[in-house]
Coordinates of all heavy atoms in Angstrom, one line a residue:
M2 N -0.3 -6.1 5.1 CA -0.7 -5.6 3.8 C 0.5 -4.9 3.2 O 1.2 -4.2 3.8 CB -1.8 -4.6 4.0 CG -3.2 -5.2 3.9 SD -4.5 -4.0 3.8 CE -4.4 -3.3 5.5
S3 N 0.7 -5.2 1.9 CA 1.8 -4.6 1.2 C 1.5 -3.1 0.8 O 0.3 -2.7 0.6 CB 2.1 -5.4 0.0 OG 1.0 -5.6 -0.8
A4 N 2.6 -2.3 0.8 CA 2.4 -0.9 0.5 C 2.0 -0.7 -1.0 O 2.4 -1.5 -1.9 CB 3.7 -0.2 0.7
L5 N 1.2 0.3 -1.3 CA 0.7 0.6 -2.6 C 1.2 2.0 -3.1 O 1.5 2.9 -2.3 CB -0.8 0.6 -2.6 CG -1.5 -0.7 -2.2 CD1 -3.0 -0.5 -2.3 CD2 -1.1 -1.9 -3.1
E6 N 1.3 2.1 -4.4 CA 1.7 3.4 -5.0 C 0.6 3.7 -6.0 O -0.1 2.8 -6.6 CB 3.0 3.3 -5.7 CG 4.2 3.1 -4.8 CD 5.5 3.0 -5.6 OE1 5.5 2.7 -6.8 OE2 6.5 3.2 -5.0
V7 N 0.4 4.9 -6.3 CA -0.7 5.3 -7.3 C -0.1 6.5 -8.2 O 0.6 7.3 -7.8 CB -1.9 5.8 -6.6 CG1 -1.7 6.9 -5.6 CG2 -3.1 6.1 -7.5
W8 N -0.6 6.4 -9.5 CA -0.3 7.5 -10.4 C -1.5 7.7 -11.3 O -2.4 6.8 -11.4 CB 1.0 7.3 -11.2 CG 1.0 6.2 -12.1 CD1 1.2 4.8 -11.8 CD2 0.8 6.2 -13.6 NE1 1.2 4.1 -12.9 CE2 1.0 4.9 -14.0 CE3 0.6 7.2 -14.5 CZ2 0.9 4.5 -15.4 CZ3 0.5 6.9 -15.8 CH2 0.6 5.6 -16.3
V9 N -1.6 8.9 -11.9 CA -2.7 9.2 -12.8 C -2.2 9.5 -14.2 O -1.2 10.2 -14.3 CB -3.5 10.4 -12.3 CG1 -4.6 10.9 -13.3 CG2 -4.2 10.1 -10.9
D10 N -2.8 8.9 -15.2 CA -2.5 9.2 -16.6 C -3.4 10.4 -17.0 O -4.6 10.2 -17.4 CB -2.8 8.0 -17.5 CG -2.4 8.3 -18.9 OD1 -2.1 9.4 -19.3 OD2 -2.5 7.3 -19.7
Q11 N -2.8 11.6 -17.0 CA -3.7 12.8 -17.3 C -4.2 12.8 -18.7 O -5.2 13.5 -19.0 CB -2.9 14.1 -17.0 CG -2.8 14.4 -15.5 CD -1.7 13.6 -14.7 OE1 -0.8 13.2 -15.4 NE2 -1.9 13.5 -13.4
D12 N -3.5 12.1 -19.6 CA -4.0 12.1 -21.0 C -5.4 11.5 -21.1 O -6.1 11.8 -22.1 CB -3.0 11.2 -21.9 CG -1.7 11.9 -22.1 OD1 -1.6 13.1 -21.8 OD2 -0.7 11.2 -22.5
L13 N -5.8 10.7 -20.2 CA -7.1 10.1 -20.2 C -8.1 10.6 -19.2 O -9.3 10.2 -19.2 CB -7.0 8.6 -20.0 CG -6.1 7.8 -21.1 CD1 -6.0 6.4 -20.7 CD2 -6.8 8.0 -22.5
C14 N -7.6 11.5 -18.4 CA -8.5 12.1 -17.3 C -9.6 12.9 -17.9 O -9.4 13.8 -18.7 CB -7.6 12.9 -16.3 SG -8.6 13.7 -15.0
T15 N -10.8 12.6 -17.4 CA -12.0 13.4 -17.9 C -12.3 14.6 -17.0 O -13.2 15.4 -17.4 CB -13.3 12.5 -17.9 OG1 -13.6 12.2 -16.5 CG2 -13.0 11.2 -18.6
G16 N -11.6 14.7 -15.9 CA -11.8 15.9 -15.0 C -13.1 15.8 -14.3 O -13.6 16.9 -13.8
D17 N -13.7 14.7 -14.1 CA -15.0 14.6 -13.4 C -14.9 14.8 -11.9 O -15.8 15.2 -11.2 CB -15.7 13.3 -13.7 CG -14.8 12.1 -13.2 OD1 -13.8 11.8 -13.9 OD2 -15.0 11.6 -12.1
G18 N -13.7 14.4 -11.4 CA -13.5 14.7 -10.0 C -13.8 13.6 -9.0 O -13.8 13.8 -7.8
L19 N -14.2 12.4 -9.5 CA -14.5 11.3 -8.6 C -13.4 11.0 -7.6 O -13.6 10.8 -6.4 CB -14.9 10.1 -9.5 CG -15.4 8.8 -8.7 CD1 -16.5 8.2 -9.5 CD2 -14.2 7.9 -8.5
C20 N -12.2 10.9 -8.2 CA -11.0 10.6 -7.3 C -10.8 11.6 -6.2 O -10.4 11.3 -5.1 CB -9.8 10.4 -8.2 SG -9.3 11.9 -9.1
V21 N -11.0 12.9 -6.6 CA -10.8 14.0 -5.6 C -11.8 13.9 -4.5 O -11.6 14.2 -3.3 CB -10.9 15.4 -6.3 CG1 -10.7 16.5 -5.3 CG2 -9.9 15.4 -7.4
Q22 N -13.0 13.4 -4.8 CA -14.1 13.2 -3.8 C -13.7 12.0 -2.9 O -13.9 12.1 -1.7 CB -15.4 12.9 -4.5 CG -16.1 14.2 -5.1 CD -17.4 13.8 -5.8 OE1 -18.0 12.8 -5.6 NE2 -17.8 14.7 -6.6
Y23 N -13.2 11.0 -3.5 CA -12.9 9.8 -2.7 C -11.7 10.0 -1.8 O -11.7 9.6 -0.7 CB -12.5 8.6 -3.7 CG -13.7 7.7 -4.1 CD1 -14.7 8.2 -4.9 CD2 -13.8 6.4 -3.6 CE1 -15.8 7.4 -5.2 CE2 -14.8 5.6 -4.0 CZ -15.8 6.1 -4.8 OH -16.9 5.3 -5.1
A24 N -10.7 10.6 -2.3 CA -9.4 10.7 -1.5 C -8.7 12.1 -1.8 O -7.7 12.1 -2.5 CB -8.5 9.6 -1.9
P25 N -9.3 13.1 -1.2 CA -8.7 14.5 -1.4 C -7.3 14.6 -0.9 O -6.6 15.5 -1.2 CB -9.7 15.4 -0.7 CG -10.5 14.6 0.2 CD -10.5 13.2 -0.4
E26 N -6.9 13.7 0.0 CA -5.5 13.8 0.5 C -4.5 13.3 -0.6 O -3.3 13.5 -0.5 CB -5.3 12.9 1.7 CG -5.9 13.5 3.0 CD -5.7 12.5 4.2 OE1 -4.5 12.0 4.4 OE2 -6.7 12.2 4.8
V27 N -5.0 12.5 -1.5 CA -4.1 11.9 -2.5 C -4.3 12.6 -3.9 O -3.3 12.7 -4.6 CB -4.5 10.4 -2.7 CG1 -3.6 9.7 -3.7 CG2 -4.2 9.7 -1.3
F28 N -5.5 12.9 -4.3 CA -5.8 13.5 -5.6 C -6.3 14.9 -5.5 O -7.0 15.3 -4.6 CB -6.9 12.7 -6.3 CG -6.6 11.2 -6.4 CD1 -7.3 10.3 -5.6 CD2 -5.7 10.7 -7.4 CE1 -7.1 9.0 -5.7 CE2 -5.5 9.3 -7.5 CZ -6.2 8.5 -6.6
E29 N -5.8 15.7 -6.5 CA -6.3 17.1 -6.5 C -6.3 17.6 -8.0 O -5.4 17.2 -8.7 CB -5.5 18.0 -5.6 CG -6.0 19.4 -5.4 CD -5.1 20.2 -4.4 OE1 -4.8 19.7 -3.4 OE2 -4.8 21.4 -4.7
F30 N -7.2 18.5 -8.3 CA -7.1 19.2 -9.6 C -6.0 20.2 -9.7 O -5.8 21.0 -8.7 CB -8.4 19.9 -9.9 CG -9.6 19.0 -10.2 CD1 -10.8 19.1 -9.6 CD2 -9.4 18.0 -11.2 CE1 -11.8 18.2 -9.9 CE2 -10.5 17.1 -11.5 CZ -11.7 17.3 -10.8
D31 N -5.4 20.3 -10.8 CA -4.6 21.5 -11.1 C -5.4 22.5 -11.9 O -6.6 22.2 -12.2 CB -3.3 21.1 -11.9 CG -2.3 22.2 -11.9 OD1 -2.3 23.1 -11.0 OD2 -1.4 22.2 -12.7
V32 N -4.8 23.6 -12.2 CA -5.6 24.7 -12.9 C -6.0 24.2 -14.3 O -6.9 24.8 -14.9 CB -4.8 26.0 -13.1 CG1 -4.6 26.7 -11.7 CG2 -3.4 25.7 -13.7
D33 N -5.4 23.1 -14.8 CA -5.8 22.6 -16.1 C -7.1 21.7 -16.0 O -7.6 21.2 -17.0 CB -4.7 21.8 -16.8 CG -4.2 20.6 -15.9 OD1 -4.9 20.3 -14.9 OD2 -3.2 19.9 -16.3
G34 N -7.6 21.6 -14.8 CA -8.9 20.8 -14.7 C -8.7 19.3 -14.7 O -9.6 18.5 -14.7
L35 N -7.4 18.9 -14.6 CA -7.1 17.4 -14.6 C -6.6 17.0 -13.2 O -6.1 17.9 -12.4 CB -6.0 17.1 -15.6 CG -6.4 17.5 -17.1 CD1 -5.2 17.2 -18.0 CD2 -7.7 16.8 -17.5
A36 N -6.8 15.8 -12.8 CA -6.4 15.3 -11.5 C -4.9 14.9 -11.5 O -4.4 14.3 -12.4 CB -7.3 14.1 -11.1
Y37 N -4.3 15.2 -10.4 CA -2.9 14.8 -10.1 C -2.8 14.2 -8.8 O -3.6 14.5 -7.9 CB -2.0 16.1 -10.2 CG -1.9 16.6 -11.6 CD1 -2.9 17.4 -12.1 CD2 -0.8 16.3 -12.5 CE1 -2.8 17.9 -13.4 CE2 -0.7 16.8 -13.7 CZ -1.7 17.6 -14.2 OH -1.7 18.1 -15.5
V38 N -1.7 13.4 -8.5 CA -1.5 12.9 -7.2 C -0.6 14.0 -6.4 O 0.1 14.8 -7.0 CB -0.7 11.6 -7.2 CG1 -1.6 10.5 -7.7 CG2 0.6 11.6 -8.0
K39 N -0.7 13.9 -5.1 CA 0.0 14.8 -4.3 C 1.0 14.1 -3.4 O 0.8 13.0 -3.0 CB -1.0 15.5 -3.3 CG -2.1 16.3 -3.9 CD -2.7 17.3 -2.9 CE -3.9 16.7 -2.3 NZ -4.6 17.7 -1.5
G40 N 2.1 14.8 -3.2 CA 3.1 14.3 -2.3 C 2.7 14.5 -0.9 O 1.7 15.1 -0.6
P41 N 3.4 13.9 0.1 CA 3.1 14.0 1.5 C 3.0 15.4 2.0 O 2.3 15.7 2.9 CB 4.3 13.3 2.2 CG 5.0 12.5 1.1 CD 4.7 13.1 -0.2
D42 N 3.7 16.3 1.3 CA 3.6 17.7 1.7 C 2.5 18.5 1.1 O 2.3 19.7 1.2 CB 5.0 18.4 1.3 CG 5.3 18.3 -0.2 OD1 4.5 17.7 -0.9 OD2 6.3 18.8 -0.6
G43 N 1.6 17.7 0.3 CA 0.5 18.4 -0.3 C 0.8 19.0 -1.7 O -0.1 19.6 -2.3
E44 N 2.0 18.9 -2.1 CA 2.4 19.5 -3.4 C 2.0 18.6 -4.6 O 2.2 17.4 -4.5 CB 4.0 19.6 -3.4 CG 4.5 20.5 -4.5 CD 4.4 22.0 -4.2 OE1 4.0 22.3 -3.1 OE2 4.5 22.7 -5.2
L45 N 1.3 19.2 -5.6 CA 0.9 18.4 -6.7 C 2.1 17.9 -7.5 O 3.0 18.7 -7.7 CB 0.0 19.2 -7.7 CG -1.4 19.6 -7.2 CD1 -2.2 20.0 -8.4 CD2 -2.0 18.5 -6.5
L46 N 2.1 16.7 -7.9 CA 3.2 16.2 -8.8 C 2.8 16.2 -10.2 O 2.0 15.4 -10.7 CB 3.6 14.8 -8.3 CG 3.9 14.6 -6.8 CD1 4.3 13.2 -6.5 CD2 5.1 15.6 -6.5
L47 N 3.3 17.2 -10.9 CA 2.8 17.5 -12.3 C 3.6 16.7 -13.4 O 3.1 16.6 -14.5 CB 3.0 19.0 -12.6 CG 2.2 19.9 -11.6 CD1 2.4 21.3 -11.9 CD2 0.7 19.5 -11.6
A48 N 4.7 16.1 -13.1 CA 5.4 15.3 -14.1 C 4.6 14.1 -14.4 O 4.1 13.4 -13.5 CB 6.8 14.9 -13.6
P49 N 4.5 13.8 -15.8 CA 3.7 12.6 -16.2 C 4.3 11.3 -15.5 O 5.5 11.1 -15.5 CB 3.9 12.6 -17.7 CG 4.3 14.0 -18.1 CD 5.0 14.5 -16.9
G50 N 3.3 10.5 -15.0 CA 3.7 9.2 -14.4 C 4.2 9.3 -13.0 O 4.7 8.3 -12.4
S51 N 4.2 10.5 -12.4 CA 4.6 10.7 -11.0 C 3.8 9.8 -10.1 O 2.6 9.8 -10.1 CB 4.5 12.1 -10.5 OG 5.3 13.0 -11.2
R52 N 4.5 9.1 -9.2 CA 3.8 8.2 -8.3 C 3.9 8.7 -6.8 O 5.0 9.3 -6.5 CB 4.5 6.8 -8.3 CG 4.3 6.1 -9.6 CD 5.0 4.7 -9.5 NE 4.8 4.0 -10.7 CZ 4.9 2.6 -10.8 NH1 5.1 2.0 -9.7 NH2 4.7 2.0 -11.9
V53 N 2.9 8.3 -6.0 CA 3.0 8.6 -4.6 C 2.6 7.3 -3.9 O 1.9 6.5 -4.4 CB 2.1 9.7 -4.1 CG1 2.6 11.1 -4.7 CG2 0.7 9.5 -4.5
D54 N 3.1 7.2 -2.6 CA 2.7 6.1 -1.7 C 1.2 6.4 -1.3 O 0.8 7.5 -1.1 CB 3.5 6.1 -0.5 CG 5.0 5.8 -0.8 OD1 5.3 5.1 -1.8 OD2 5.9 6.2 0.0
V55 N 0.4 5.3 -1.3 CA -0.9 5.4 -0.9 C -1.0 5.3 0.7 O -0.5 4.3 1.2 CB -1.8 4.3 -1.5 CG1 -3.2 4.3 -0.9 CG2 -1.8 4.3 -3.0
P56 N -1.5 6.4 1.3 CA -1.5 6.3 2.8 C -2.3 5.1 3.2 O -3.4 4.8 2.6 CB -2.2 7.6 3.2 CG -2.0 8.5 2.0 CD -2.0 7.6 0.8
E57 N -1.9 4.4 4.3 CA -2.5 3.2 4.7 C -4.0 3.3 4.9 O -4.8 2.5 4.5 CB -1.8 2.8 6.1 CG -2.0 1.4 6.5 CD -1.3 0.4 5.6 OE1 -0.2 0.6 5.1 OE2 -1.9 -0.7 5.4
H58 N -4.4 4.4 5.5 CA -5.8 4.6 5.9 C -6.7 5.0 4.7 O -7.9 5.1 4.8 CB -6.0 5.6 7.0 CG -5.6 7.0 6.6 ND1 -4.3 7.4 6.3 CD2 -6.4 8.1 6.3 CE1 -4.3 8.7 6.0 NE2 -5.5 9.2 5.9
L59 N -6.1 5.2 3.5 CA -6.8 5.5 2.3 C -6.8 4.5 1.2 O -7.2 4.7 0.1 CB -6.3 6.9 1.7 CG -6.6 8.1 2.6 CD1 -6.0 9.3 2.1 CD2 -8.1 8.3 2.7
R60 N -6.3 3.3 1.6 CA -6.1 2.2 0.6 C -7.5 1.9 -0.2 O -7.5 1.9 -1.4 CB -5.7 0.9 1.2 CG -4.3 1.0 1.7 CD -4.0 -0.2 2.5 NE -3.9 -1.5 1.8 CZ -2.8 -2.0 1.3 NH1 -1.7 -1.5 1.5 NH2 -2.9 -3.1 0.6
L61 N -8.5 1.7 0.6 CA -9.8 1.4 0.0 C -10.3 2.5 -0.9 O -10.8 2.2 -2.0 CB -10.8 1.0 1.1 CG -10.6 -0.3 1.8 CD1 -11.6 -0.6 2.8 CD2 -10.5 -1.5 0.8
E62 N -10.2 3.7 -0.4 CA -10.7 4.9 -1.2 C -9.9 5.0 -2.5 O -10.5 5.2 -3.5 CB -10.5 6.2 -0.4 CG -11.5 6.3 0.8 CD -11.1 5.6 2.0 OE1 -10.1 4.8 2.0 OE2 -11.8 5.8 3.1
V63 N -8.6 4.8 -2.5 CA -7.8 4.9 -3.7 C -8.1 3.8 -4.6 O -8.3 4.0 -5.9 CB -6.3 5.0 -3.3 CG1 -5.5 4.9 -4.6 CG2 -6.0 6.3 -2.6
I64 N -8.3 2.6 -4.1 CA -8.6 1.4 -5.0 C -10.0 1.6 -5.6 O -10.2 1.4 -6.8 CB -8.5 0.1 -4.2 CG1 -7.1 -0.2 -3.9 CG2 -9.2 -1.0 -4.9 CD1 -6.8 -1.4 -2.9
D65 N -11.0 2.1 -4.8 CA -12.3 2.3 -5.3 C -12.3 3.4 -6.4 O -13.0 3.3 -7.4 CB -13.3 2.7 -4.2 CG -13.7 1.5 -3.3 OD1 -13.5 0.4 -3.8 OD2 -14.3 1.8 -2.3
A66 N -11.5 4.4 -6.2 CA -11.4 5.5 -7.2 C -10.9 4.9 -8.5 O -11.4 5.2 -9.5 CB -10.5 6.6 -6.6
A67 N -9.8 4.1 -8.4 CA -9.3 3.5 -9.6 C -10.3 2.6 -10.3 O -10.3 2.6 -11.5 CB -8.0 2.7 -9.2
K68 N -11.1 1.9 -9.5 CA -12.0 1.0 -10.2 C -13.1 1.7 -10.8 O -13.7 1.3 -11.8 CB -12.6 0.0 -9.1 CG -11.7 -1.1 -8.7 CD -12.3 -2.0 -7.6 CE -11.4 -3.1 -7.3 NZ -11.9 -3.8 -6.1
E69 N -13.5 2.9 -10.3 CA -14.6 3.6 -10.8 C -14.3 4.8 -11.7 O -15.1 5.5 -12.2 CB -15.5 4.1 -9.6 CG -16.1 2.9 -8.9 CD -16.9 3.3 -7.7 OE1 -17.4 4.5 -7.6 OE2 -16.9 2.5 -6.7
C70 N -13.0 5.1 -11.8 CA -12.5 6.3 -12.6 C -13.1 6.2 -14.0 O -12.8 5.2 -14.7 CB -11.0 6.2 -12.6 SG -10.2 7.3 -13.8
P71 N -13.8 7.2 -14.4 CA -14.4 7.1 -15.8 C -13.4 7.1 -16.9 O -13.6 6.6 -18.0 CB -15.2 8.4 -15.9 CG -15.4 8.8 -14.4 CD -14.2 8.4 -13.7
G72 N -12.2 7.7 -16.7 CA -11.1 7.7 -17.7 C -10.3 6.4 -17.6 O -9.4 6.2 -18.5
D73 N -10.5 5.6 -16.6 CA -9.7 4.3 -16.5 C -8.3 4.7 -16.5 O -7.4 4.0 -17.1 CB -10.0 3.4 -17.6 CG -10.1 1.9 -17.1 OD1 -10.1 1.7 -15.9 OD2 -10.1 1.0 -18.0
C74 N -7.9 5.7 -15.7 CA -6.6 6.2 -15.8 C -5.9 6.4 -14.4 O -4.9 7.1 -14.3 CB -6.6 7.6 -16.5 SG -7.6 8.8 -15.8
I75 N -6.4 5.8 -13.4 CA -5.8 5.7 -12.1 C -5.1 4.4 -11.9 O -5.8 3.3 -12.0 CB -6.8 6.0 -10.9 CG1 -7.4 7.4 -11.1 CG2 -6.0 5.8 -9.6 CD1 -8.5 7.6 -10.0
H76 N -3.8 4.4 -11.8 CA -3.0 3.1 -11.7 C -2.5 2.9 -10.3 O -1.8 3.7 -9.8 CB -1.8 3.2 -12.7 CG -2.2 3.4 -14.1 ND1 -2.1 2.4 -15.0 CD2 -2.6 4.4 -14.8 CE1 -2.4 2.8 -16.2 NE2 -2.8 4.1 -16.1
V77 N -3.0 1.8 -9.7 CA -2.5 1.4 -8.3 C -1.7 0.2 -8.4 O -2.1 -0.8 -9.0 CB -3.7 1.2 -7.4 CG1 -3.2 0.9 -6.0 CG2 -4.7 2.4 -7.4
H78 N -0.5 0.3 -7.9 CA 0.5 -0.8 -8.0 C 1.0 -1.2 -6.6 O 1.1 -0.3 -5.7 CB 1.7 -0.4 -8.8 CG 1.5 -0.1 -10.2 ND1 1.8 -1.0 -11.2 CD2 1.0 1.0 -10.8 CE1 1.5 -0.5 -12.4 NE2 0.9 0.7 -12.2
R79 N 1.3 -2.5 -6.4 CA 2.1 -2.9 -5.2 C 3.5 -2.3 -5.3 O 4.1 -2.4 -6.3 CB 2.2 -4.4 -5.1 CG 1.2 -5.0 -4.2 CD 1.4 -6.4 -3.8 NE 2.1 -7.3 -4.7 CZ 1.6 -8.4 -5.1 NH1 0.5 -8.8 -4.8 NH2 2.4 -9.2 -5.9
A80 N 3.9 -1.6 -4.2 CA 5.2 -0.9 -4.3 C 6.3 -1.9 -4.4 O 7.3 -1.7 -5.1 CB 5.4 -0.1 -3.0
A81 N 6.2 -3.1 -3.8 CA 7.3 -4.0 -3.7 C 7.7 -4.6 -5.1 O 8.8 -4.7 -5.4 CB 7.0 -5.1 -2.7
D82 N 6.6 -5.0 -5.9 CA 6.9 -5.7 -7.1 C 6.2 -5.1 -8.3 O 6.2 -5.7 -9.4 CB 6.6 -7.2 -7.0 CG 5.1 -7.4 -6.5 OD1 4.4 -6.4 -6.5 OD2 4.8 -8.5 -6.1
D83 N 5.6 -4.0 -8.1 CA 5.0 -3.2 -9.3 C 3.7 -3.9 -9.9 O 3.3 -3.6 -10.9 CB 6.0 -3.0 -10.4 CG 5.9 -1.6 -11.0 OD1 5.3 -0.7 -10.3 OD2 6.3 -1.4 -12.1
V84 N 3.2 -4.9 -9.2 CA 2.0 -5.6 -9.7 C 0.8 -4.7 -9.6 O 0.5 -4.1 -8.6 CB 1.8 -6.9 -8.9 CG1 0.4 -7.5 -9.3 CG2 2.9 -7.9 -9.2
P85 N 0.1 -4.6 -10.8 CA -1.1 -3.7 -10.7 C -2.2 -4.3 -9.8 O -2.5 -5.5 -9.9 CB -1.6 -3.7 -12.2 CG -0.4 -4.2 -13.0 CD 0.3 -5.1 -12.1
V86 N -2.7 -3.5 -8.9 CA -3.7 -3.9 -8.0 C -5.1 -3.4 -8.4 O -6.1 -4.0 -8.2 CB -3.4 -3.4 -6.6 CG1 -4.5 -3.6 -5.6 CG2 -2.1 -4.0 -6.1
A87 N -5.2 -2.2 -9.0 CA -6.4 -1.6 -9.4 C -6.1 -0.7 -10.6 O -5.0 -0.1 -10.6 CB -7.2 -0.9 -8.3
G88 N -7.1 -0.5 -11.5 CA -6.9 0.4 -12.6 C -6.8 -0.5 -13.9 O -7.1 -1.7 -13.9
P89 N -6.5 0.2 -15.0 CA -6.7 -0.5 -16.3 C -5.8 -1.7 -16.5 O -6.1 -2.6 -17.3 CB -6.3 0.6 -17.3 CG -5.5 1.6 -16.5 CD -6.1 1.6 -15.1
N90 N -4.7 -1.8 -15.8 CA -3.8 -3.0 -16.0 C -4.0 -4.1 -15.0 O -3.3 -5.1 -15.0 CB -2.3 -2.5 -15.9 CG -2.0 -1.5 -17.0 OD1 -2.6 -1.5 -18.1 ND2 -1.1 -0.6 -16.7
A91 N -5.0 -3.9 -14.0 CA -5.2 -4.9 -13.0 C -6.2 -6.0 -13.6 O -6.9 -5.7 -14.5 CB -5.8 -4.3 -11.8
D92 N -6.1 -7.2 -13.1 CA -7.0 -8.3 -13.5 C -8.4 -8.0 -13.2 O -8.7 -7.5 -12.2 CB -6.6 -9.6 -12.9 CG -5.2 -10.1 -13.4 OD1 -4.9 -9.7 -14.5 OD2 -4.5 -10.8 -12.7
Ligands
LIG2 S1 -11.6 9.8 -11.4 FE1 -10.2 9.5 -13.1 S2 -11.1 10.7 -14.8 FE2 -12.0 11.4 -13.0 S3 -10.8 13.2 -12.3 FE3 -10.0 11.4 -11.3 S4 -8.3 10.6 -12.6 FE4 -9.6 12.0 -13.8

């Protein structure tokens, strides 16, 4: 299986928290009430468009979160060639 990366477009995030429920190791709210991805050290990446590697054991959770995200703002890409796997740009 190819490695995946994920990022969140906070401009469209509704703050409902579905992603945080699905994969709290990957997504977390900041004080602004919007969801951000976390680095391996648990630090929130606040810069727009910040990407993190999707942990192998959370692939399905992250893909499901992207598919069901009410804001349609979770972008999951294949790391190797940047092809969208789930989210608004995926087929
Ligand atoms: S599921 Fe989507 S809209 Fe909801 S908090 Fe997560 S990123 Fe924001």
Side-chain angles (χ1 to χ4, degrees):
M2 268 190 294
S3 51
L5 301 179
E6 294 176 339
V7 59
W8 64 280
V9 173
D10 181 354
Q11 282 82 24
D12 287 347
L13 298 176
C14 176
T15 69
D17 61 282
L19 184 142
C20 58
V21 179
Q22 288 178 15
Y23 268 70
E26 285 178 53
V27 176
F28 305 103
E29 188 176 316
F30 286 129
D31 194 19
V32 289
D33 60 6
L35 303 177
Y37 291 80
V38 292
K39 294 200 269 191
D42 56 359
E44 194 76 13
L45 292 196
L46 303 182
L47 300 178
S51 294
R52 295 180 176 207
V53 294
D54 296 333
V55 177
E57 198 66 37
H58 67 288
L59 291 174
R60 291 170 68 96
L61 289 180
E62 286 83 351
V63 169
I64 287 171
D65 283 348
K68 286 181 176 168
E69 296 176 28
C70 167
D73 219 10
C74 59
I75 297 175
H76 298 254
V77 183
H78 295 258
R79 261 194 332 235
D82 54 11
D83 220 25
V84 169
V86 171
N90 300 328
D92 289 335

